[in-house]
Amino acid sequence: MLYFITGNKNKFEEVRAIVGEVERLDIDLPEIQDIDPKNIIRAKLLEALKHREGEFIVEDTSLYLDCLNGLPGPLIKWFIKTIGNIGLADIAEKAGNNKAEAKTIIGYAKSRDEIYFFEGSVLGKIVAPRGDSDFGWDPIFQPDGYDKTFAQMSKEEKNKISMRKIAAEKFLVHRNRIKP
């Protein structure tokens, strides 16, 4: 059985729509703090393997601002909690560089010795908050080629181009390739 460990229902629904048969496990795994999301994901997967038998996926979705040399990256949750979307938009505006990259990395573990990573990213820019969303930094991220932020897009519109979709599709190709 394949388990996706997440407390976020929206993330789970998006991944399940692409991957198919996957069960959600809402277990609280310790999350190390690191600038490299692969280290965070690996630690979570290794902890998950202690809890139950099966195959697991976990993911990390990060926001990288050019004006901060890639920060906040996987530390985005703490930036949102402290300075919020308005603070991040202000930093990009004051720095005169609003370029950003939204990135999802999905980690997949068949065992302690078989851990794989699948990355999806979307380039865009940081803008003043627009749209209603309780989904992190969606109100300030406008993907290149669009005039709406993620928060202004319908769920279907966002899911067609999201970094999570790209990463999940790469995972699915890998998993189908190795299935008997």
Side-chain angles (χ1 to χ4, degrees):
M1 173 56 68
L2 176 65
Y3 299 100
F4 179 22
I5 300 172
T6 182
N8 188 309
K9 190 181 120 196
N10 293 328
K11 287 181 183 182
F12 174 73
E13 292 300 330
E14 188 175 341
V15 168
R16 185 172 66 176
I18 297 159
V19 173
E21 282 192 43
V22 61
E23 281 191 30
R24 179 176 158 209
L25 277 182
D26 187 1
I27 56 177
D28 194 21
L29 297 175
E31 183 170 317
I32 66 167
Q33 298 303 301
D34 197 304
I35 202 70
D36 184 346
K38 289 181 180 176
N39 291 336
I40 298 167
I41 292 166
R42 182 183 313 281
K44 281 183 161 186
L45 287 168
L46 292 173
E47 188 64 31
L49 287 163
K50 294 178 186 176
H51 285 271
R52 154 181 315 212
E53 300 252 333
E55 299 174 35
F56 298 93
I57 56 175
V58 297
E59 65 104 51
D60 180 82
T61 297
S62 304
L63 184 64
Y64 299 84
L65 278 63
D66 278 11
C67 68
L68 294 177
N69 294 321
L71 282 174
L75 305 174
I76 184 63
K77 174 170 59 173
W78 305 113
F79 277 64
I80 293 295
K81 281 186 176 192
T82 55
I83 63 173
N85 285 324
I86 292 172
L88 284 168
D90 285 348
I91 288 170
E93 182 184 346
K94 287 175 181 161
N97 180 352
N98 65 358
K99 292 181 184 175
E101 180 180 17
K103 188 184 296 185
T104 294
I105 299 177
I106 292 177
Y108 166 60
K110 284 186 75 170
S111 70
R112 294 183 67 75
D113 299 321
E114 284 188 83
I115 295 177
Y116 305 92
F117 300 97
F118 308 92
E119 185 177 307
S121 70
V122 175
L123 297 176
K125 62 184 177 182
I126 301 301
V127 298
R130 298 194 320 254
D132 296 325
S133 176
D134 58 356
F135 210 43
W137 40 266
D138 279 6
I140 62 167
F141 184 77
Q142 181 178 315
D144 286 350
Y146 292 83
D147 58 0
K148 297 179 187 177
T149 65
F150 273 167
Q152 292 173 303
M153 294 179 178
S154 70
K155 187 175 171 182
E156 295 74 24
E157 188 177 10
K158 178 188 172 195
N159 289 350
K160 283 182 186 176
I161 64 165
S162 83
M163 56 282 169
R164 188 171 296 108
K165 176 183 187 266
I166 296 165
E169 286 176 340
K170 289 178 180 178
F171 161 72
L172 191 58
V173 167
H174 171 82
R175 189 154 191 254
N176 288 337
R177 191 178 68 228
I178 62 172
K179 271 190 167 180

